[in-house]
Amino acid sequence: MKDAKSDRKNMVQLKSFYLFIISMVLQAGLFPMASREWISYGLFSLMTLGLGLFTFAMAGNKKRQTTNSMKGSRELMWLRLKKNKTAMVAMGVLIFLSYLTVLAPFITPQNPLDTDWGALSQGISTTHWLGTDDMGRDIFARTLFGIRVAMGIGVTAVVLNTLIGTFLGLMAGYYGGKTDTLIMRLLEVWNAIPFILLAIAIMAALGTGIGKLILIVSLSNLMAFARIIRGSVLTVKEHDYIAAARVIGISDAGIIIRHVLPNCISPILVLASLSIGETILVIAGLSFLGLGIQPPMPSLGGMLANGQQFLHENFLMSLVPGVTILLIVLSFNLFGDGVRDALDSRLND
């Protein structure tokens, strides 16, 4: 049994090492084009660096475990996550999509904004791998850049949502009393505003754009984060080590950062991982209604809305963005479920 677990861990470490080597080779090969697409190249360099740090961290954990049979919480969480085949497949799909989106300018032979008036609503061809839309724009290129926009905005919005919601939940749960009442009542009033009405009002006042879309989406789910974190804090702050920290004179900020927040990190990670798929679906829905990403910038929701008018002429205009949205949201949800199960301490190892 131990040999099987060790073999699985060695296999994951070997795969991550091979992926790191492939990323390094790609980075070297794309270096001549780095000046033309420096943002994409920089993001790819950061991904390669993160993958290298992850690979070396796994190697360091293996060396430590050879001298110490005790496993920390992170090692146990990772072991549980690796046992969930569905979550690992979803993580592999997300990694693959992340590489596609970052390397989109280097992969696609077409520009997503270029129009080809001689190839309107064309099917699959050697020039246009997934055909063209009603304006002769390459569907494959627009899909890649649409994934890039959706995942970028989705992750950014969830990070902001997590930071703001966690801060409000920590304040409400730790201090309680009037602070708790004020924060939670204000959040309930905010949550009572219909989301579509809020989106229309903000865009009417501030205009359209990616920044406004991130603001709208990041402020839409504050109640869920604040409520879950508040409940965790109410439980954690009753423990004896919190009272001991107060007795020895540690400030409230020190107690929250050093003792309360680390013990509430599990629900934060679970909710954040599950919220990304929902957020991307919301972004696609807003773009479908014309409230999200504005043309000519490619967006999956906008492509889906445009393609519904040409279902009989070229069904790929709707099929490709629809399947892409399904794949992204499903992968994030399955991975989030795996993270939730991995962080559940009641599961048997």
Side-chain angles (χ1 to χ4, degrees):
M1 189 68 179
K2 290 183 179 180
D3 293 337
K5 290 182 178 180
S6 178
D7 291 341
R8 286 197 298 268
K9 185 170 183 179
N10 291 335
M11 184 63 66
V12 173
Q13 183 180 348
L14 191 61
K15 289 180 180 179
S16 63
F17 177 73
Y18 285 153
L19 187 59
F20 173 67
I21 296 299
I22 294 173
S23 299
M24 291 289 293
V25 173
L26 285 175
Q27 189 173 359
L30 297 174
F31 183 75
M33 296 180 284
S35 59
R36 180 170 58 88
E37 297 289 347
W38 62 272
I39 296 179
S40 298
Y41 189 81
L43 291 174
F44 183 58
S45 299
L46 291 177
M47 287 181 60
T48 304
L49 178 61
L51 183 61
L53 293 176
F54 173 76
T55 303
F56 288 118
M58 288 191 64
N61 287 335
K62 181 181 178 181
K63 291 180 180 179
R64 285 194 296 270
Q65 288 182 9
T66 56
T67 58
N68 186 2
S69 59
M70 297 295 293
K71 296 183 177 64
S73 58
R74 286 181 296 181
E75 286 79 9
L76 292 175
M77 179 264 187
W78 177 243
L79 287 175
R80 295 192 190 108
L81 184 62
K82 286 194 298 182
K83 292 178 181 178
N84 192 329
K85 302 299 182 184
T86 304
M88 295 302 292
V89 171
M91 185 176 69
V93 171
L94 293 176
I95 292 174
F96 177 71
L97 290 176
S98 299
Y99 271 85
L100 283 182
T101 55
V102 173
L103 297 176
F106 306 105
I107 294 176
T108 175
Q110 305 291 336
N111 189 303
L113 303 180
D114 289 346
T115 56
D116 185 358
W117 299 109
L120 302 180
S121 298
Q122 190 182 66
I124 297 175
S125 65
T126 55
T127 305
H128 303 285
W129 297 345
L130 291 177
T132 60
D133 62 7
D134 59 308
M135 298 182 65
R137 296 172 298 191
D138 188 77
I139 295 178
F140 177 73
R142 292 183 65 80
T143 301
L144 282 186
F145 281 85
I147 298 173
R148 188 179 194 178
V149 171
M151 293 183 66
I153 296 178
V155 173
T156 303
V158 170
V159 169
L160 291 176
N161 201 340
T162 303
L163 294 176
I164 299 173
T166 299
F167 174 78
L168 295 176
L170 287 172
M171 295 299 102
Y174 184 80
Y175 290 105
K178 295 181 179 180
T179 302
D180 182 16
T181 302
L182 177 63
I183 291 176
M184 299 310 295
R185 297 298 83 77
L186 288 176
L187 286 176
E188 287 172 358
V189 172
W190 178 260
N191 195 53
I193 303 175
F195 175 72
I196 297 297
L197 180 61
L198 176 64
I200 294 174
I202 292 179
M203 290 193 171
L206 302 178
T208 59
I210 293 180
K212 285 81 174 181
L213 183 59
I214 293 176
L215 176 65
I216 293 169
V217 177
S218 62
L219 296 178
S220 64
N221 200 28
L222 290 178
M223 188 66 187
F225 276 92
R227 182 176 290 170
I228 289 179
I229 302 308
R230 171 183 174 272
S232 299
V233 173
L234 289 175
T235 302
V236 170
K237 76 173 187 177
E238 299 299 327
H239 291 168
D240 293 337
Y241 58 85
I242 301 296
R246 291 197 186 102
V247 169
I248 62 177
I250 299 179
S251 64
D252 289 341
I255 294 175
I256 292 174
I257 295 174
R258 295 168 55 186
H259 301 288
V260 177
L261 183 59
N263 289 282
C264 299
I265 200 69
S266 294
I268 296 175
L269 292 177
V270 171
L271 187 57
S273 59
L274 289 172
S275 297
I276 297 177
E278 180 183 355
T279 302
I280 292 176
L281 193 60
V282 168
I283 294 169
L286 289 175
S287 299
F288 184 86
L289 296 175
L291 299 175
I293 304 299
Q294 300 299 311
M297 181 178 290
S299 66
L300 298 176
M303 293 173 62
L304 191 61
N306 185 49
Q308 67 175 344
Q309 307 174 37
F310 303 94
L311 286 175
H312 298 290
E313 299 178 18
N314 187 0
F315 72 97
L316 289 175
M317 290 176 60
S318 294
L319 178 64
V320 173
V323 172
T324 303
I325 294 172
L326 173 65
L327 181 63
I328 296 174
V329 175
L330 180 63
S331 298
F332 272 113
N333 288 342
L334 292 177
F335 180 70
D337 288 338
V339 172
R340 179 193 58 196
D341 295 340
L343 290 172
D344 192 348
S345 59
R346 293 171 297 180
L347 293 178
N348 294 324
D349 297 330

